Amino acid sequence: MAAPMIHALRPVPCLFRPLYRRISHSAGFLEAAGRRGLFKDVFPAESGPSQLSELLRSGPQTVYCGFDPTADSLHIGNLLTVLGLVHFHRAGHNIIAVIGGATGLLGDPSGRMNEREALSQEKITENIRGIRRCLERLFSNCETLVPGARPGGTVRVLNNEQWYRQRGAAEFLGSVGRHFRMGTMMSRHSVQSRLSSPEGMSLAEFVYQVFQSYDFYQLNQTHDCRIQLGGTDQLGNIMSGHDFIHRITGEEVFGITLPLITNSAGDKLGKSAGNAIWLSRDKTSPFELYQFFVRQPDGIVERFLKLFTFIPLPEIEQVMEQHGKEPEKRLPHKRLAAEVTKIVHGKEGLESAKRCTQALYNSSLEALEKMSDQELQELFREAPFAEVLLEPGTRVMDLCLKVSAIPEGARGYEMISSGGVSINHKKVTNPDEVLLLGHHILHNGLSLLRVGKKNFYIVKWLHL
């Protein structure tokens, strides 16, 4: 059979260059990742585990995973796959993250009961930029903030649109599509579940596995990539890629699946499920990410420590033992939240999350005074933000009226005098009290006004 035409690619700069190339690799790398629960299955199932271990011992390998630009940010479900790549990189291997600028137009049917909403090219381009920023930030944070990695390996972020750009549909299907058998494609679980659904399955979704298979083939030919990572819902696509490459080249390649992330009720966490925790600050703040992990139930926190952090397993055991003695301190939950927030948002993001936690839950005036405008708006996302000109003699009553926090007249006066208003976590009961810098107005030029239990107003004072 004739091999598909390969188009030359422009050289792609690496994000990180190795100081030197490491030749030998730990024979227990896969086993160690398996003990963390990170890697679920290896494909091919029978021969794959032993052959893959031998391959990894032979020298640096190249591993890839794909991310379709269905949103302008990655989410927690994607984070585990990114960390899977990072584990390979820390062991001295080369990693590639492929953004699906082309496949995003088709829509991956895996794990879905209905077709993805079609996106315009403009929206896909915007999403690609956001996902690239996420990936580069995550890789950079892991490189600089997580100790213990072996030198060696490269990190690349590619867009698969670049190898489809010059290919026509008829030429592609004629040269690539002829290597795929309809019976095999229809037997995939993702296809079967969609064909039996009320909505059915579109042709674009059906041929998605052909394109993902070709992505694997292209990377195999241009970067000597022999390993693909993906969630368990990607197993059918990974199998198709393995069969395609083996049929064309005779070379053995491998797939590794990672577990899907679910909450304590067993529901998948992700964009499609409507409960995504995003990795971009403008969609989920460092504080919100931190709190998501702090609030995980006891029954899941140890598993998440193994999956989402690089803490050595013996140290995780010690943390969990300490938790058994002092559960009220929630030490593993706080450690988990801190490690993940640092990986996603860096040291500054972690410090921001801690400041917001202190300001909100411990009513810390010191933490509140150190917060930026952005942090306050992230902490109180639904709170109105107002810029107010400070005039001499401005009273508590004046402030409340300026931001429309209370009604005018006797009713508003009564709300303050009865203790229903606080400024910077301190109750004020005198409506005629004049606002003072350092007390009602923090040195960062902000005031946090609360009326009742949940109605917050953020005030930035001008011309102090």
Side-chain angles (χ1 to χ4, degrees):
M1 295 182 179
M5 184 183 300
I6 299 295
H7 293 273
L9 297 181
R10 298 192 308 270
V12 180
C14 296
L15 298 180
F16 310 117
R17 287 291 182 186
L19 297 176
Y20 61 88
R21 186 166 297 282
R22 188 179 179 92
I23 302 302
S24 62
H25 298 266
S26 170
F29 166 62
L30 284 182
E31 291 81 356
R35 287 195 298 272
R36 302 186 79 95
L38 183 66
F39 298 150
K40 186 174 176 60
D41 294 304
V42 173
F43 182 83
E46 294 183 2
S47 60
S50 60
Q51 291 181 342
L52 182 56
S53 295
E54 183 178 349
L55 178 66
L56 293 174
R57 282 194 296 266
S58 68
Q61 301 301 316
T62 301
V63 187
Y64 105 93
C65 183
F67 303 88
D68 275 348
T70 54
D72 60 0
S73 170
L74 298 177
H75 53 74
I76 283 296
N78 303 129
L79 178 60
L80 189 62
T81 311
V82 175
L83 295 181
L85 288 174
V86 172
H87 273 278
F88 269 95
H89 184 246
R90 288 166 59 82
H93 301 286
N94 309 308
I95 61 173
I96 302 174
V98 174
I99 303 175
T103 46
L105 292 168
L106 303 176
D108 185 359
S110 303
R112 296 181 59 87
M113 293 308 296
N114 48 55
E115 189 168 8
R116 296 182 186 274
E117 180 182 354
L119 300 177
S120 66
Q121 185 60 62
E122 291 76 15
K123 182 60 178 174
I124 288 179
T125 300
E126 177 187 336
N127 291 349
I128 289 172
R129 285 196 295 265
I131 291 176
R132 180 178 288 275
R133 286 194 296 267
C134 274
L135 288 168
E136 293 179 352
R137 173 166 36 86
L138 290 168
F139 289 142
S140 178
N141 286 343
C142 288
E143 179 83 1
T144 58
L145 301 178
V146 182
R150 297 174 181 171
T154 58
V155 178
R156 291 181 172 89
V157 179
L158 306 180
N159 181 350
N160 69 4
E161 191 271 337
Q162 68 186 94
W163 53 82
Y164 293 109
R165 189 179 299 139
Q166 304 300 325
R167 305 201 69 162
E171 182 272 327
F172 179 78
L173 290 175
S175 61
V176 176
R178 67 177 61 252
H179 298 287
F180 290 81
R181 305 272 72 85
M182 288 289 293
T184 304
M185 292 175 66
M186 293 183 69
S187 69
R188 303 302 187 203
H189 175 73
S190 60
V191 175
Q192 286 290 314
S193 60
R194 286 300 304 280
L195 289 176
S196 61
S197 69
E199 183 177 325
M201 188 179 201
S202 71
L203 176 62
E205 293 178 295
F206 181 67
V207 299
Y208 184 94
Q209 60 182 292
V210 174
F211 284 81
Q212 183 166 324
S213 299
Y214 186 75
D215 287 349
F216 197 180
Y217 172 83
Q218 180 76 1
L219 296 173
N220 174 260
Q221 295 297 296
T222 57
H223 295 285
D224 195 27
C225 177
R226 298 182 64 182
I227 305 168
Q228 180 183 176
L229 297 186
T232 54
D233 59 348
Q234 291 294 309
L235 182 57
N237 293 334
I238 292 173
M239 292 167 65
S240 293
H242 167 275
D243 295 348
F244 176 54
I245 294 172
H246 191 69
R247 183 179 297 115
I248 296 297
T249 69
E251 185 178 10
E252 194 66 70
V253 295
F254 305 91
I256 300 177
T257 62
L258 299 94
L260 296 179
I261 299 304
T262 60
N263 58 23
S264 57
D267 299 324
K268 177 182 175 182
L269 295 178
K271 182 173 68 68
S272 302
N275 57 357
I277 303 297
W278 300 97
L279 305 186
S280 293
R281 183 168 187 159
D282 58 347
K283 299 173 80 73
T284 297
S285 71
F287 167 76
E288 291 168 321
L289 180 71
Y290 183 90
Q291 289 300 320
F292 170 79
F293 282 101
V294 161
R295 293 170 181 169
Q296 290 303 311
D298 286 1
I300 208 169
V301 68
E302 182 176 4
R303 176 173 180 254
F304 277 13
L305 276 169
K306 293 177 180 178
L307 291 176
F308 287 108
T309 79
F310 295 92
I311 302 172
L313 292 180
E315 189 174 342
I316 292 177
E317 291 180 6
Q318 293 175 2
V319 172
M320 294 309 300
E321 287 177 7
Q322 188 67 25
H323 178 61
K325 299 174 184 176
E326 301 176 296
E328 71 282 358
K329 292 186 176 181
R330 297 180 67 81
L331 295 176
H333 306 72
K334 294 175 182 178
R335 183 71 183 278
L336 170 67
E339 291 293 325
V340 176
T341 305
K342 184 171 63 174
I343 287 172
V344 175
H345 293 294
K347 289 182 179 179
E348 291 183 1
L350 176 57
E351 290 305 313
S352 174
K354 289 181 176 180
R355 276 195 299 273
C356 291
T357 299
Q358 288 289 326
L360 183 62
Y361 295 120
N362 297 332
S363 298
S364 170
L365 188 62
E366 181 182 0
L368 193 63
E369 199 155 36
K370 291 180 179 179
M371 292 175 66
S372 65
D373 299 5
Q374 180 186 22
E375 288 174 337
L376 270 175
Q377 290 180 71
E378 288 173 348
L379 184 57
F380 303 98
R381 284 194 183 273
E382 304 303 320
F385 182 88
E387 293 183 329
V388 178
L389 179 65
L390 181 62
E391 299 173 344
T394 300
R395 305 169 302 158
V396 170
M397 184 75 175
D398 300 327
L399 166 61
C400 294
L401 291 174
K402 283 178 183 291
V403 298
S404 302
I406 61 173
E408 296 184 12
R411 174 60 184 144
Y413 203 91
E414 171 64 21
M415 289 175 67
I416 299 174
S417 59
S418 63
V421 173
S422 66
I423 300 177
N424 302 331
H425 296 310
K426 294 181 179 180
K427 282 190 177 182
V428 288
T429 55
N430 181 3
D432 296 318
E433 184 177 351
V434 176
L435 301 183
L436 299 176
L437 181 65
H439 180 57
H440 306 97
I441 304 171
L442 301 175
H443 290 291
N444 57 1
L446 298 170
S447 295
L448 179 64
L449 173 68
R450 186 179 70 184
V451 178
K453 292 183 177 181
K454 297 181 179 180
N455 299 312
F456 288 92
Y457 301 81
I458 303 167
V459 180
K460 181 176 178 64
W461 295 97
L462 304 177
H463 304 301
L464 290 179

